[in-house]
Amino acid sequence: MRYQPVIGLEIHCELLTGSKVFCTCRNEFGGSENTRVCPRCSGMPGTLPLLNQGAVKLAAKAGFATNCTVHNYSAFDRKNYFYPDLPKAYQITQFEHPICTDGYIDVAGGKRIRINRIHIEEDAGKLVHDDYEGVSLADYNRCGVPLIEIVTEPDFRSVAEVQDFVTQIAQRLKYSGVCDARMEQGSLRVDVNISIMPYGSEEFGTRAEIKNLNSVKSIGRAIEYEIQRQSEILDGGGKVVQETRRYNENHDDTKALRSKEEAHDYRYFPEPDIPPVLFTDEEIEEIRKEMPELPHERFKRYTEEYGLPADDASLIIAQKEFSDFYDEAVRAVPEYRMISNLMLGEVSHLLNESGADITEVRFGPSDVAETAGLAAEGTISKGAAKEIVSILFESGGEPKKIAEEHGFIMDNDASGLEAVIGEVLAKNADAVEKYKEGNTKLFGFIMGQAIKACGKSANPALIKEALTKKLQ
Ligand code: ADP
Ligand code: ZN
Ligand code: MG
């Protein structure tokens, strides 16, 4: 790469409120067209907005989740523009006085990405283009859905940094109950601003903005494409123009939508129908106290207190429900590694195979905990623990009972082992001789024969011990 990319993000997130931001229509994804609308959110003249306090609180939580300052004073403005998905012909947003500013998130590699601001605004409707009939239809269900917009400084220099940041934002908002962060459903959408400059330069180039990316993967591809496109322009002696572009997943390219508007194009002015949002310090502190443990804090607990490898900890926290399940299991039985291994091994394997979710399984955290406990204390083998999980997955039940019924309880009485192992060694005299001559690989084979002979209730650890002694 000949040029240094410079990237800043604007991320829109739908807030998990029960109703819309300025009316009492239900805030829910989907529904038949124009069934979740009222005179307010469909922009009828004479209606007045009523600010949803829950949305304000969630916006403040988003601020706490990203190290922002949450302000005592914030206020709403009108952003004027005409488009058929916006029946009022203006969007209510926060321009001069956003609720949160000056945050940051540290991305992989330890780099700090600064967050300029987080403001509250309303979503617009959706246009459905029917090319066959040659008409466009407007669905206003999404009008007035509460959003926050998170705006970063242009601090990113690589795709990896952007992808890590977006993943972290999605997880933190999900953990805080601010947004369900389902990118594929559009509840978290990313606009990427990107420019390039020669390496070593201090002066940023002209940027293009790529709108509404809805997966971490397409963010990466859109950036790669854009770097290539802008590099070719500069190499050819041309100039990048500031404009808004759309990424097309099927073609894997970006196309110009419109030239960039400036703030003055929108004729922002203070929204006269909504009073400013005022918080006392105490009220802000009350909201801060409601913040749950965040994913990066959980990561720290798993690695530092529980001794999990970093990769395992990341895999567990990736899905909040999965991590909650793990937390409840280790609260019941503090076998951190054993439970983690079972969950990332057998449980994940079964979930992947069946396409099910951890919230849909027939067993609970205490069942996995009990199974791990049985294995940890030597009542069953680790292999049997896996089999119990798979039985729990198929038909549920109680781990201890399953262990008994299936003969998984290990015979921890070593007295009988000696005789059986003696027989095994006699039967496999050839292998034993070669082993003693130095072919140590044969230990596994002999061990396998011994386990087979002792039956599945035998304790592999005891067999190994007895075998090792005999072979010396
Ligand atoms: P505007 O007011 O024109 O919308 P902002 O300063 O608000 O511009 O920036 C919008 C987004 O563009 C931010 O995410 C910011 O980080 C990013 N950005 C600004 N300048 C550049 C640049 N030269 N290259 C890449 N991204 C940029
Ligand atoms: Zn409404
Ligand atoms: Mg801006």
Side-chain angles (χ1 to χ4, degrees), residues 5-11 95 114 116-117 149-157 191-196 203-209 242 260-263:
V6 171
I7 303 162
L9 303 180
E10 293 162 290
I11 307 178
F95 184 59
R114 293 166 301 158
N116 174 289
R117 60 191 275 148
E149 181 177 345
I150 303 171
V151 184
T152 78
E153 298 294 344
D155 287 347
F156 301 95
R157 296 291 177 272
D191 300 345
V192 173
N193 296 274
I194 170 164
S195 64
I196 57 172
E203 197 184 327
F204 292 171
T206 304
R207 72 185 190 264
E209 178 180 17
Q242 192 168 336
K260 166 83 186 159
E261 337 39 25
E262 300 294 335

Side-chain angles (χ1 to χ4, degrees), residues 43-58:
M44 296 296 164
T47 56
L48 291 170
L50 190 67
L51 179 60
N52 182 336
Q53 305 290 311
V56 176
K57 194 167 167 181
L58 291 182

Side-chain angles (χ1 to χ4, degrees), residues 420-468:
V420 184
I421 286 175
E423 279 172 37
V424 170
L425 294 186
K427 249 195 227 164
N428 297 282
D430 259 13
V432 171
E433 201 180 311
K434 284 186 189 144
Y435 173 80
K436 286 187 169 162
E437 281 165 8
N439 189 348
T440 51
K441 275 190 206 146
L442 281 168
F443 187 85
F445 168 76
I446 303 169
M447 178 78 188
Q449 298 301 309
I451 289 177
K452 219 187 265 173
C454 296
K456 64 178 166 183
S457 65
N459 182 336
L462 290 184
I463 295 177
K464 191 173 175 190
E465 200 182 296
L467 198 57
T468 310

Side-chain angles (χ1 to χ4, degrees), residues 20 22-26 36-42 143:
K20 291 186 178 180
F22 301 124
C23 65
T24 54
C25 289
R26 278 217 343 237
R36 292 186 185 136
V37 288
C38 71
R40 277 181 229 212
C41 58
S42 59
C143 278

